[in-house]
mmCIF file of all heavy atoms in Angstrom:
data_model
loop_
_atom_site.group_PDB
_atom_site.id
_atom_site.type_symbol
_atom_site.label_atom_id
_atom_site.label_comp_id
_atom_site.label_asym_id
_atom_site.label_seq_id
_atom_site.Cartn_x
_atom_site.Cartn_y
_atom_site.Cartn_z
ATOM 1 N N LEU A 18 -112.395 200.733 249.125
ATOM 2 C CA LEU A 18 -111.182 201.512 248.865
ATOM 3 C C LEU A 18 -111.318 202.926 249.423
ATOM 4 O O LEU A 18 -110.355 203.480 249.962
ATOM 5 C CB LEU A 18 -110.889 201.571 247.360
ATOM 6 C CG LEU A 18 -110.417 200.278 246.711
ATOM 7 C CD1 LEU A 18 -110.398 200.427 245.195
ATOM 8 C CD2 LEU A 18 -109.055 199.870 247.245
ATOM 9 N N LYS A 19 -112.517 203.500 249.324
ATOM 10 C CA LYS A 19 -112.751 204.856 249.825
ATOM 11 C C LYS A 19 -112.522 204.961 251.331
ATOM 12 O O LYS A 19 -112.134 206.020 251.811
ATOM 13 C CB LYS A 19 -114.184 205.308 249.521
ATOM 14 C CG LYS A 19 -114.433 205.700 248.110
ATOM 15 C CD LYS A 19 -115.875 206.162 247.962
ATOM 16 C CE LYS A 19 -116.240 206.435 246.540
ATOM 17 N NZ LYS A 19 -117.663 206.813 246.412
ATOM 18 N N VAL A 20 -112.793 203.888 252.062
ATOM 19 C CA VAL A 20 -112.616 203.930 253.521
ATOM 20 C C VAL A 20 -111.247 203.400 253.948
ATOM 21 O O VAL A 20 -111.000 203.204 255.131
ATOM 22 C CB VAL A 20 -113.761 203.205 254.278
ATOM 23 C CG1 VAL A 20 -115.088 203.877 254.012
ATOM 24 C CG2 VAL A 20 -113.802 201.726 253.943
ATOM 25 N N GLY A 21 -110.357 203.145 252.993
ATOM 26 C CA GLY A 21 -108.994 202.803 253.321
ATOM 27 C C GLY A 21 -108.617 201.341 253.286
ATOM 28 O O GLY A 21 -107.502 200.978 253.644
ATOM 29 N N VAL A 22 -109.515 200.466 252.850
ATOM 30 C CA VAL A 22 -109.167 199.049 252.730
ATOM 31 C C VAL A 22 -108.267 198.889 251.506
ATOM 32 O O VAL A 22 -108.555 199.436 250.436
ATOM 33 C CB VAL A 22 -110.433 198.173 252.604
ATOM 34 C CG1 VAL A 22 -110.068 196.709 252.425
ATOM 35 C CG2 VAL A 22 -111.338 198.354 253.817
ATOM 36 N N GLN A 23 -107.175 198.170 251.658
ATOM 37 C CA GLN A 23 -106.225 197.963 250.567
ATOM 38 C C GLN A 23 -106.761 196.916 249.580
ATOM 39 O O GLN A 23 -107.460 195.989 249.976
ATOM 40 C CB GLN A 23 -104.884 197.484 251.122
ATOM 41 C CG GLN A 23 -104.245 198.462 252.082
ATOM 42 C CD GLN A 23 -103.882 199.770 251.405
ATOM 43 O OE1 GLN A 23 -103.279 199.782 250.337
ATOM 44 N NE2 GLN A 23 -104.253 200.881 252.017
ATOM 45 N N VAL A 24 -106.407 197.066 248.311
ATOM 46 C CA VAL A 24 -106.848 196.128 247.274
ATOM 47 C C VAL A 24 -106.484 194.696 247.661
ATOM 48 O O VAL A 24 -107.284 193.782 247.512
ATOM 49 C CB VAL A 24 -106.242 196.485 245.889
ATOM 50 C CG1 VAL A 24 -106.547 195.400 244.859
ATOM 51 C CG2 VAL A 24 -106.779 197.819 245.407
ATOM 52 N N ALA A 25 -105.288 194.508 248.198
ATOM 53 C CA ALA A 25 -104.842 193.161 248.581
ATOM 54 C C ALA A 25 -105.740 192.552 249.663
ATOM 55 O O ALA A 25 -105.901 191.337 249.722
ATOM 56 C CB ALA A 25 -103.399 193.208 249.073
ATOM 57 N N SER A 26 -106.339 193.381 250.514
ATOM 58 C CA SER A 26 -107.211 192.889 251.588
ATOM 59 C C SER A 26 -108.637 192.627 251.112
ATOM 60 O O SER A 26 -109.364 191.852 251.729
ATOM 61 C CB SER A 26 -107.257 193.903 252.731
ATOM 62 O OG SER A 26 -105.979 194.100 253.261
ATOM 63 N N ILE A 27 -109.031 193.285 250.038
ATOM 64 C CA ILE A 27 -110.415 193.164 249.569
ATOM 65 C C ILE A 27 -110.718 191.743 249.116
ATOM 66 O O ILE A 27 -111.797 191.222 249.382
ATOM 67 C CB ILE A 27 -110.714 194.202 248.467
ATOM 68 C CG1 ILE A 27 -110.678 195.610 249.073
ATOM 69 C CG2 ILE A 27 -112.072 193.942 247.821
ATOM 70 C CD1 ILE A 27 -110.812 196.736 248.067
ATOM 71 N N HIS A 28 -109.764 191.087 248.468
ATOM 72 C CA HIS A 28 -109.982 189.710 248.018
ATOM 73 C C HIS A 28 -110.298 188.810 249.212
ATOM 74 O O HIS A 28 -111.264 188.047 249.186
ATOM 75 C CB HIS A 28 -108.769 189.188 247.254
ATOM 76 C CG HIS A 28 -108.933 187.792 246.756
ATOM 77 N ND1 HIS A 28 -109.753 187.487 245.696
ATOM 78 C CD2 HIS A 28 -108.429 186.620 247.199
ATOM 79 C CE1 HIS A 28 -109.724 186.178 245.496
ATOM 80 N NE2 HIS A 28 -108.926 185.631 246.401
ATOM 81 N N GLY A 29 -109.518 188.898 250.269
ATOM 82 C CA GLY A 29 -109.758 188.089 251.466
ATOM 83 C C GLY A 29 -111.077 188.431 252.129
ATOM 84 O O GLY A 29 -111.785 187.546 252.625
ATOM 85 N N LEU A 30 -111.431 189.701 252.110
ATOM 86 C CA LEU A 30 -112.709 190.132 252.670
ATOM 87 C C LEU A 30 -113.865 189.474 251.916
ATOM 88 O O LEU A 30 -114.775 188.919 252.529
ATOM 89 C CB LEU A 30 -112.789 191.653 252.586
ATOM 90 C CG LEU A 30 -113.977 192.324 253.216
ATOM 91 C CD1 LEU A 30 -113.546 193.660 253.797
ATOM 92 C CD2 LEU A 30 -115.066 192.539 252.201
ATOM 93 N N PHE A 31 -113.804 189.508 250.588
ATOM 94 C CA PHE A 31 -114.857 188.867 249.798
ATOM 95 C C PHE A 31 -114.876 187.357 250.003
ATOM 96 O O PHE A 31 -115.948 186.758 250.048
ATOM 97 C CB PHE A 31 -114.723 189.202 248.309
ATOM 98 C CG PHE A 31 -115.429 190.469 247.914
ATOM 99 C CD1 PHE A 31 -114.727 191.641 247.744
ATOM 100 C CD2 PHE A 31 -116.796 190.486 247.729
ATOM 101 C CE1 PHE A 31 -115.369 192.812 247.388
ATOM 102 C CE2 PHE A 31 -117.454 191.651 247.368
ATOM 103 C CZ PHE A 31 -116.741 192.821 247.205
ATOM 104 N N GLU A 32 -113.706 186.738 250.137
ATOM 105 C CA GLU A 32 -113.663 185.295 250.397
ATOM 106 C C GLU A 32 -114.363 184.952 251.712
ATOM 107 O O GLU A 32 -115.036 183.938 251.809
ATOM 108 C CB GLU A 32 -112.224 184.789 250.438
ATOM 109 C CG GLU A 32 -111.621 184.569 249.078
ATOM 110 C CD GLU A 32 -110.227 183.964 249.159
ATOM 111 O OE1 GLU A 32 -109.569 184.040 250.222
ATOM 112 O OE2 GLU A 32 -109.798 183.412 248.138
ATOM 113 N N SER A 33 -114.210 185.817 252.724
ATOM 114 C CA SER A 33 -114.803 185.527 254.023
ATOM 115 C C SER A 33 -116.327 185.628 254.023
ATOM 116 O O SER A 33 -116.979 185.038 254.874
ATOM 117 C CB SER A 33 -114.207 186.426 255.106
ATOM 118 O OG SER A 33 -114.627 187.761 254.947
ATOM 119 N N ILE A 34 -116.895 186.358 253.083
ATOM 120 C CA ILE A 34 -118.361 186.481 253.022
ATOM 121 C C ILE A 34 -118.959 185.739 251.829
ATOM 122 O O ILE A 34 -120.165 185.812 251.591
ATOM 123 C CB ILE A 34 -118.813 187.963 252.991
ATOM 124 C CG1 ILE A 34 -118.235 188.687 251.772
ATOM 125 C CG2 ILE A 34 -118.472 188.660 254.288
ATOM 126 C CD1 ILE A 34 -118.790 190.062 251.534
ATOM 127 N N GLU A 35 -118.141 185.004 251.086
ATOM 128 C CA GLU A 35 -118.599 184.351 249.848
ATOM 129 C C GLU A 35 -119.816 183.457 250.058
ATOM 130 O O GLU A 35 -120.742 183.476 249.268
ATOM 131 C CB GLU A 35 -117.453 183.560 249.222
ATOM 132 C CG GLU A 35 -117.772 183.051 247.825
ATOM 133 C CD GLU A 35 -118.047 184.162 246.829
ATOM 134 O OE1 GLU A 35 -117.412 185.221 246.900
ATOM 135 O OE2 GLU A 35 -118.939 183.956 245.976
ATOM 136 N N LYS A 36 -119.834 182.671 251.127
ATOM 137 C CA LYS A 36 -120.969 181.754 251.330
ATOM 138 C C LYS A 36 -122.260 182.519 251.611
ATOM 139 O O LYS A 36 -123.341 182.029 251.319
ATOM 140 C CB LYS A 36 -120.675 180.747 252.435
ATOM 141 C CG LYS A 36 -120.556 181.320 253.823
ATOM 142 C CD LYS A 36 -120.307 180.213 254.832
ATOM 143 C CE LYS A 36 -120.043 180.720 256.212
ATOM 144 N NZ LYS A 36 -121.078 181.466 256.830
ATOM 145 N N ASP A 37 -122.161 183.736 252.149
ATOM 146 C CA ASP A 37 -123.347 184.544 252.442
ATOM 147 C C ASP A 37 -123.734 185.470 251.291
ATOM 148 O O ASP A 37 -124.834 186.009 251.279
ATOM 149 C CB ASP A 37 -123.114 185.395 253.697
ATOM 150 C CG ASP A 37 -122.978 184.552 254.943
ATOM 151 O OD1 ASP A 37 -123.623 183.482 255.006
ATOM 152 O OD2 ASP A 37 -122.225 184.960 255.850
ATOM 153 N N TRP A 38 -122.841 185.675 250.322
ATOM 154 C CA TRP A 38 -123.080 186.641 249.242
ATOM 155 C C TRP A 38 -124.398 186.400 248.482
ATOM 156 O O TRP A 38 -125.110 187.351 248.183
ATOM 157 C CB TRP A 38 -121.888 186.661 248.289
ATOM 158 C CG TRP A 38 -121.996 187.729 247.237
ATOM 159 C CD1 TRP A 38 -122.438 187.568 245.964
ATOM 160 C CD2 TRP A 38 -121.682 189.113 247.387
ATOM 161 N NE1 TRP A 38 -122.402 188.770 245.298
ATOM 162 C CE2 TRP A 38 -121.948 189.736 246.152
ATOM 163 C CE3 TRP A 38 -121.208 189.892 248.436
ATOM 164 C CZ2 TRP A 38 -121.745 191.098 245.941
ATOM 165 C CZ3 TRP A 38 -121.008 191.244 248.216
ATOM 166 C CH2 TRP A 38 -121.282 191.837 246.989
ATOM 167 N N PRO A 39 -124.778 185.140 248.176
ATOM 168 C CA PRO A 39 -126.032 184.944 247.438
ATOM 169 C C PRO A 39 -127.274 185.499 248.149
ATOM 170 O O PRO A 39 -128.279 185.770 247.507
ATOM 171 C CB PRO A 39 -126.129 183.421 247.287
ATOM 172 C CG PRO A 39 -124.712 182.959 247.347
ATOM 173 C CD PRO A 39 -124.038 183.884 248.324
ATOM 174 N N ARG A 40 -127.186 185.703 249.468
ATOM 175 C CA ARG A 40 -128.340 186.255 250.198
ATOM 176 C C ARG A 40 -128.753 187.627 249.691
ATOM 177 O O ARG A 40 -129.919 187.980 249.776
ATOM 178 C CB ARG A 40 -128.042 186.352 251.699
ATOM 179 C CG ARG A 40 -127.990 185.016 252.374
ATOM 180 C CD ARG A 40 -127.987 185.138 253.869
ATOM 181 N NE ARG A 40 -126.939 186.050 254.336
ATOM 182 C CZ ARG A 40 -126.907 186.584 255.537
ATOM 183 N NH1 ARG A 40 -127.848 186.322 256.401
ATOM 184 N NH2 ARG A 40 -125.918 187.377 255.901
ATOM 185 N N ILE A 41 -127.810 188.408 249.172
ATOM 186 C CA ILE A 41 -128.186 189.756 248.728
ATOM 187 C C ILE A 41 -129.020 189.726 247.459
ATOM 188 O O ILE A 41 -129.615 190.725 247.091
ATOM 189 C CB ILE A 41 -126.961 190.685 248.542
ATOM 190 C CG1 ILE A 41 -126.076 190.215 247.404
ATOM 191 C CG2 ILE A 41 -126.198 190.835 249.846
ATOM 192 C CD1 ILE A 41 -125.017 191.206 247.015
ATOM 193 N N ARG A 42 -129.099 188.556 246.810
ATOM 194 C CA ARG A 42 -129.929 188.434 245.611
ATOM 195 C C ARG A 42 -131.374 188.083 245.943
ATOM 196 O O ARG A 42 -132.226 188.086 245.060
ATOM 197 C CB ARG A 42 -129.343 187.375 244.679
ATOM 198 C CG ARG A 42 -127.992 187.802 244.129
ATOM 199 C CD ARG A 42 -127.538 186.849 243.105
ATOM 200 N NE ARG A 42 -128.411 186.991 241.951
ATOM 201 C CZ ARG A 42 -128.006 187.006 240.707
ATOM 202 N NH1 ARG A 42 -126.755 186.884 240.441
ATOM 203 N NH2 ARG A 42 -128.856 187.114 239.724
#
């Protein structure tokens, strides 16, 4: 949000990286 991404776009952004998200753990 600080860099200007809209809340509505954030959901899609997270969906696009969902399969890779567990790697950060």
Side-chain angles (χ1 to χ4, degrees):
L18 289 170
K19 284 182 186 177
V20 298
V22 178
Q23 300 296 312
V24 172
S26 299
I27 293 174
H28 181 73
L30 185 145
F31 272 101
E32 280 184 341
S33 70
I34 60 171
E35 190 62 36
K36 67 178 174 61
D37 294 328
W38 186 262
R40 289 192 308 163
I41 66 169
R42 294 187 69 137

